Amino acid sequence: MKITLVAIQNFRKLQKVKIDFSGQQTVLVGANNSGKTSAMDALIFFLDRDKYSGSSKSGLGKIGRKISISDFTISNWTEINAFGNSWLTDNEAPTGNTAIEWIALCPSIDVWLDATVEDVVAVSHLIPSLDWNGEPLGVRLVYQPKDIELLKNQFIESYRAAEGLVAEERDDFKLWPKNLQDFLTKELSKHFEIQGYLLPTNRIKDSENLNSFELSQMISQYPFSKLFKVGVIDAQRGFSDSLTTKGENKGESLSPLLTEYYDNHLNPADLPEKEDVKALEAIDKAQNEFNFRLKNSFKDAINEIETLGYPGFSDPKISLSTKLDPKDGLGHEAAVKFSLRDEDAEFPFELPESLNGLGYKNLIYMIFKLISFRDDWMLKGKAKKRNKSFIEPLHLVFIEEPEAHLHAQVQQVFIRRAYEVLTKTVAKPFSTQLIVSSHSSYLAHEVEFEKLRYFRRNSAKCEKSTPTTDVVNLSTVFAIDNSKSDAANHTAKFVSRYIKTTHCDLFFANGIIMVEGAAERMLLPHFIKSKYEGTLNNTYLSILEVGGAHAHRLSSLIEILKIPTLVITDADAVNQHGNKAQPKLDPSFFTGSNTLKTWFELNDKNFEELMHLPFKEKIKENICAVYQCEIVVKEYNNEKAIPYTFEDALSLSNVTQLRNLETATGMLKKMKVAAQSDTLVDCSTKMYQALSGDKAQMALDVLYDIDPNNLTIPYYIVEGLDWLVEATSNAGSDYLITEDVTDEN
């Protein structure tokens, strides 16, 4: 039994989101503020719960992780406030009086289980009809009002009471609650609970679009109490530093974790077995010997106290004894040490836990936590003798941002070993699913693409909407599809290999810049730093170096991710014979760029048309392609020239800087010589002829000889970077609802 899919609705910006779970590991990736943490919070809120009450009146039990009205999707606040306004007026058609109306606005999660006929006993309470034949089983959990009438009455009472305390002339001032949303900022947990509903088995593909009227089968008990065992490792774990004042750091150390594991699984005094007898005898012997030594040591001191008149005739005597408990020894700082040499050495070098590096300490902590989750689930050791007599079929483990304090290599070690640790000693029919959220490109690099789920941000579409999130199953992007052509499958393999070996960081970027060569890749960061301070320089950008023959192969991935992407390509002029040629405005010339011909479908444009193409036609949804066009060269009386590649475009844009170079070598020297030509025609021809040299070396020479702040960026790149500034700004903006909600908050 495993979870195949969850659908989250109305939780923060996750208005309608589907997340496919892989059979083993599922890793949530995406840029900051894309919804990964929201998804983990929703999953943990609905699935990690205490023991549950069977009464539908009291909901489905106690809640571990709480949520607030701020966790409701913001665009739903307007409708929630409309319910409140309807209650406050004598409306002939009041709204908000039925559970169906609230379900459409409240946070919920649909959980779809892949269960077989063999699991029928465990999942019998989830089967909606007698016609079930092994189809996926779905359950919706909704955080909804317990008693709508009570909520309505208490809101009206509170609102009227506050209204009566404020003078009529103070219309600009209102006490709490200003509206229903404001009322729920304080009273949400009092009036809301989680309720469950069975879903039709044939609606797994569009369960998020189920009409509320279709949720007719309410569940009176929490549906997963005997199906899931849940473990959670929260984000932002801190560890006490040896120099940190006690109490200022709330992080967990290893000692209490070891103590807890010992108490749950190893303590010989708890439910002793035959093999525990020797350990208990040794503890008893040590305790008796220590008590004898203790009494002798304190004999004189106690006699001295007795000379003071205590104890009297009827007073009890003072007697000293001790109780030895091995777990007490695990609770202090020295219990866990890190040895710097062999323990059997005559003088072993050992440091206390607090002095070990945070990175390895965090790794050890998390791995041991996973071991604890597994052994607690499998009832290892003493756990099997306690009240619990069954093992849940499915073990769910949620880990939030495990990369905290871990350097790159350790992050990769952790994600490689985590699932292995969780499933060691676990056999069928039991299953384990690990769900991880991460901001780490190193961690994403270590995981197969079929296990990655990319959280894609969507900007608000209209005035009263808010930014939302979609989730992309990357296994569908890179999967080999037999129904597709060999060329398409070959492209999928190439993209998978390329991204895997170079640029997993694009899954966390706010913007992407694709360039053709090493020179652009080296100089672009300097252009951005010197000319785009406060905009692109503060944006998480991923710069991908892809040759002109391969850039278009990434088109399907870039279009699916919908990250604003600037493609800086070369115009690559070719003459009527299909040969490389120095660019000129000639209708018989065309572009040789695969990016422009294939990706942007400009193969029907001749070179002259490309040079005069309006900028808006270089934009394709979230992607913009820029290439060399005519450059006005001020040093040659503002005459125009058309460069062939980035290198001669940079040189034509910086003629004065080239002329002023004292020394230059290689291609840069040739560009300097060309810049000293008497005519622009001669200059641009010599620069074109110089392009056969080492372009990467030229970029290094430029960085060495010229301050990047003094370089003029080629205009076509300026156009592209200006577009990227606007595109990333729009994509990253969180638009709040205007009018009602904005005013009320």
Side-chain angles (χ1 to χ4, degrees):
M1 179 192 310
K2 292 190 176 178
I3 295 176
T4 59
L5 180 144
V6 297
I8 302 171
Q9 296 95 25
N10 301 319
F11 191 84
R12 301 176 191 166
K13 63 173 59 178
L14 307 180
Q15 194 160 34
K16 283 187 179 182
V17 162
K18 285 183 178 180
I19 307 173
D20 296 292
F21 277 22
S22 71
Q24 298 179 350
Q25 289 175 298
T26 304
V27 180
L28 314 183
V29 297
N32 283 329
N33 201 29
S34 61
K36 301 185 302 298
T37 299
S38 294
M40 292 293 276
D41 284 343
L43 290 167
I44 294 169
F45 172 72
F46 283 106
L47 300 181
D48 181 27
R49 299 166 56 75
D50 297 328
K51 296 204 177 278
Y52 303 95
S53 167
S55 169
S56 60
K57 286 293 183 182
S58 59
L60 298 185
K62 297 179 180 178
I63 298 171
R65 183 171 292 195
K66 294 183 179 181
I67 63 174
S68 68
I69 189 63
S70 298
D71 294 310
F72 286 54
T73 299
I74 296 176
S75 57
N76 292 345
W77 291 0
T78 300
E79 293 183 65
I80 290 173
N81 284 333
F83 290 167
N85 294 336
S86 171
W87 294 346
L88 293 170
T89 59
D90 296 328
N91 197 326
E92 294 182 359
T95 58
N97 289 330
T98 65
I100 291 174
E101 293 173 279
W102 279 95
I103 289 172
L105 303 176
C106 293
S108 68
I109 183 172
D110 295 353
V111 180
W112 288 93
L113 287 172
D114 185 8
T116 64
V117 176
E118 287 74 18
D119 299 315
V120 66
V121 174
V123 299
S124 59
H125 60 296
L126 303 182
I127 299 174
S129 71
L130 296 176
D131 298 329
W132 183 71
N133 193 30
E135 299 89 353
L137 296 173
V139 175
R140 174 170 294 182
L141 299 176
V142 187
Y143 191 55
Q144 65 183 68
K146 302 176 188 178
D147 185 329
I148 295 176
E149 193 63 27
L150 179 62
L151 170 64
K152 175 180 178 179
N153 292 336
Q154 292 199 358
F155 166 66
I156 294 174
E157 180 182 346
S158 299
Y159 187 90
R160 297 301 184 205
E163 192 177 42
L165 292 175
V166 179
E168 293 183 4
E169 62 271 15
R170 290 296 307 276
D171 290 339
D172 60 331
F173 175 72
K174 291 184 178 181
L175 292 173
W176 175 90
K178 302 173 185 177
N179 49 47
L180 183 53
Q181 176 246 327
D182 191 30
F183 176 77
L184 292 175
T185 57
K186 294 183 179 181
E187 301 293 327
L188 184 72
S189 59
K190 177 180 176 181
H191 289 281
F192 277 63
E193 65 183 5
I194 294 179
Q195 190 54 262
Y197 303 87
L198 295 184
L199 301 175
T201 57
N202 62 343
R203 297 298 296 274
I204 183 171
K205 292 184 178 180
D206 65 343
S207 66
E208 71 277 15
N209 294 319
L210 275 171
N211 189 301
S212 298
F213 289 98
E214 299 179 72
L215 302 176
S216 57
Q217 297 191 52
M218 184 180 291
I219 306 171
S220 60
Q221 293 185 341
Y222 185 68
F224 306 129
S225 58
K226 293 188 177 182
L227 295 181
F228 300 167
K229 175 70 174 178
V230 180
V232 178
I233 299 181
D234 293 315
Q236 299 177 346
R237 292 162 305 283
F239 289 94
S240 55
D241 188 282
S242 60
L243 302 179
T244 302
T245 303
K246 185 175 181 180
E248 290 182 0
N249 193 310
K250 297 182 180 180
E252 228 176 323
S253 62
L254 300 178
S255 296
L257 184 59
L258 293 174
T259 302
E260 180 183 356
Y261 185 86
Y262 172 88
D263 201 35
N264 288 337
H265 302 286
L266 304 176
N267 192 348
D270 183 23
L271 304 170
E273 299 173 344
K274 187 174 181 180
E275 55 267 29
D276 295 324
V277 173
K278 288 186 178 180
L280 293 173
E281 287 178 350
I283 293 172
D284 184 67
K285 182 178 179 181
Q287 181 169 299
N288 289 335
E289 291 181 357
F290 186 69
N291 284 343
F292 178 77
R293 176 62 179 162
L294 195 66
K295 290 177 181 178
N296 286 335
S297 299
F298 278 90
K299 183 177 180 179
D300 292 341
I302 291 175
N303 287 338
E304 187 172 346
I305 292 174
E306 289 177 347
T307 63
L308 301 177
Y310 180 92
F313 178 77
S314 60
D315 297 321
K317 294 277 186 178
I318 297 175
S319 178
L320 297 179
S321 181
T322 184
K323 178 182 180 182
L324 296 182
D325 191 338
K327 75 175 182 180
D328 293 339
L330 294 172
H332 59 77
E333 184 190 64
V336 178
K337 295 183 178 181
F338 293 89
S339 297
L340 306 181
R341 60 188 294 186
D342 195 329
E343 290 183 355
D344 297 329
E346 184 177 358
F347 299 104
F349 295 163
E350 295 179 331
L351 292 176
E353 175 189 357
S354 59
L355 294 184
N356 195 44
L358 290 180
Y360 280 111
K361 193 172 177 182
N362 203 23
L363 175 66
I364 295 168
Y365 169 82
M366 288 191 293
I367 291 295
F368 201 89
K369 195 77 172 174
L370 297 181
I371 294 172
S372 299
F373 288 160
R374 180 199 67 207
D375 290 351
D376 189 41
W377 174 46
M378 287 282 101
L379 304 180
K380 183 178 179 180
K382 306 295 180 179
K384 66 184 176 183
K385 282 197 166 187
R386 297 194 177 90
N387 296 330
K388 192 174 176 183
S389 59
F390 68 94
I391 298 176
E392 296 87 347
L394 180 59
H395 188 200
L396 287 176
V397 177
F398 299 97
I399 306 178
E400 298 180 278
E401 300 174 22
E403 63 268 19
H405 302 303
L406 303 185
H407 58 72
Q409 292 86 343
V410 178
Q411 294 174 30
Q412 294 173 323
V413 169
F414 173 77
I415 200 63
R416 281 201 302 265
R417 294 296 310 278
Y419 190 78
E420 179 184 331
V421 168
L422 282 172
T423 55
K424 188 177 181 180
T425 73
V426 177
K428 291 183 178 180
F430 304 108
S431 301
T432 300
Q433 287 181 283
L434 172 63
I435 297 89
V436 179
S437 67
S438 177
H439 292 94
S440 169
S441 60
Y442 300 102
L443 189 146
H445 176 274
E446 202 62 31
V447 178
E448 296 88 349
F449 281 121
E450 58 264 24
K451 298 176 182 177
L452 295 179
R453 303 295 179 265
Y454 176 72
F455 279 63
R456 180 175 64 195
R457 296 185 304 201
N458 300 316
S459 297
K461 295 179 180 179
C462 58
E463 184 179 284
K464 290 193 176 184
S465 67
T466 55
T468 57
T469 292
D470 292 329
V471 178
V472 179
N473 183 345
L474 292 181
S475 66
T476 62
V477 179
F478 300 107
I480 302 301
D481 188 347
N482 293 328
S483 65
K484 295 181 179 179
S485 66
D486 291 341
N489 285 327
H490 190 68
T491 295
K493 289 180 182 178
F494 163 76
V495 174
S496 175
R497 292 167 185 164
Y498 174 77
I499 298 299
K500 197 69 177 173
T501 54
T502 55
H503 288 288
C504 278
D505 63 330
L506 68 84
F507 296 129
F508 305 92
N510 296 315
I512 299 172
I513 302 177
M514 298 177 64
V515 298
E516 290 200 1
E520 296 100 306
R521 177 179 52 79
M522 285 190 281
L523 289 173
L524 264 173
H526 293 279
F527 293 160
I528 292 170
K529 182 177 180 180
S530 61
K531 307 296 184 182
Y532 290 87
E533 183 69 36
T535 54
L536 290 181
N537 196 40
N538 294 340
T539 302
Y540 188 0
L541 299 175
S542 178
I543 301 178
L544 282 66
E545 180 187 344
V546 187
H550 294 291
H552 66 283
R553 303 188 193 281
L554 296 173
S555 61
S556 59
L557 174 63
I558 298 299
E559 289 167 3
I560 287 174
L561 297 183
K562 292 187 178 179
I563 303 173
T565 300
L566 173 63
V567 183
I568 300 176
T569 187
D570 291 334
D572 287 340
V574 294
N575 59 26
Q576 61 270 33
H577 305 296
N579 299 322
K580 169 185 171 182
Q582 184 178 351
K584 61 179 180 179
L585 297 178
D586 188 327
S588 66
F589 276 41
F590 289 86
T591 178
S593 167
N594 285 317
T595 297
L596 298 178
K597 291 190 299 182
T598 304
W599 193 348
F600 284 80
E601 301 173 340
L602 297 174
N603 55 319
D604 61 334
K605 305 286 186 185
N606 63 43
F607 198 77
E608 184 176 8
E609 290 173 325
L610 283 177
M611 292 299 100
H612 298 122
L613 193 70
F615 185 76
K616 64 180 181 180
E617 294 188 32
K618 301 176 184 178
I619 301 170
K620 188 177 181 181
E621 295 183 355
N622 59 301
I623 307 157
C624 176
V626 294
Y627 49 86
Q628 297 83 13
C629 292
E630 288 184 302
I631 291 179
V632 176
V633 185
K634 61 183 180 180
E635 290 85 354
Y636 290 99
N637 298 319
N638 291 328
E639 293 182 43
K640 295 179 180 179
I642 305 174
Y644 186 83
T645 67
F646 168 74
E647 289 74 21
D648 56 334
L650 180 66
S651 299
L652 286 168
S653 302
N654 293 277
V655 170
T656 299
Q657 286 84 345
L658 288 175
R659 291 174 177 175
N660 293 334
L661 285 178
E662 295 182 2
T663 60
T665 60
M667 187 187 295
L668 186 60
K669 181 178 181 180
K670 294 178 182 179
M671 294 295 180
K672 172 181 168 64
V673 171
Q676 295 170 334
S677 301
D678 293 331
T679 66
L680 180 57
V681 172
D682 190 25
C683 172
S684 57
T685 300
K686 288 180 180 179
M687 287 183 176
Y688 171 74
Q689 293 170 345
L691 293 175
S692 59
D694 187 341
K695 297 179 180 180
Q697 183 61 44
M698 176 184 165
L700 292 172
D701 291 339
V702 168
L703 290 175
Y704 182 79
D705 292 316
I706 305 175
D707 185 341
N709 291 315
N710 297 329
L711 283 173
T712 298
I713 306 173
Y715 182 71
Y716 74 100
I717 294 181
V718 171
E719 273 193 316
L721 293 177
D722 288 346
W723 171 86
L724 191 60
V725 168
E726 183 177 358
T728 54
S729 175
N730 291 341
S733 297
D734 278 350
Y735 298 98
L736 295 180
I737 323 170
T738 58
E739 299 176 3
D740 295 341
V741 173
T742 303
D743 294 337
E744 291 158 358
N745 286 283

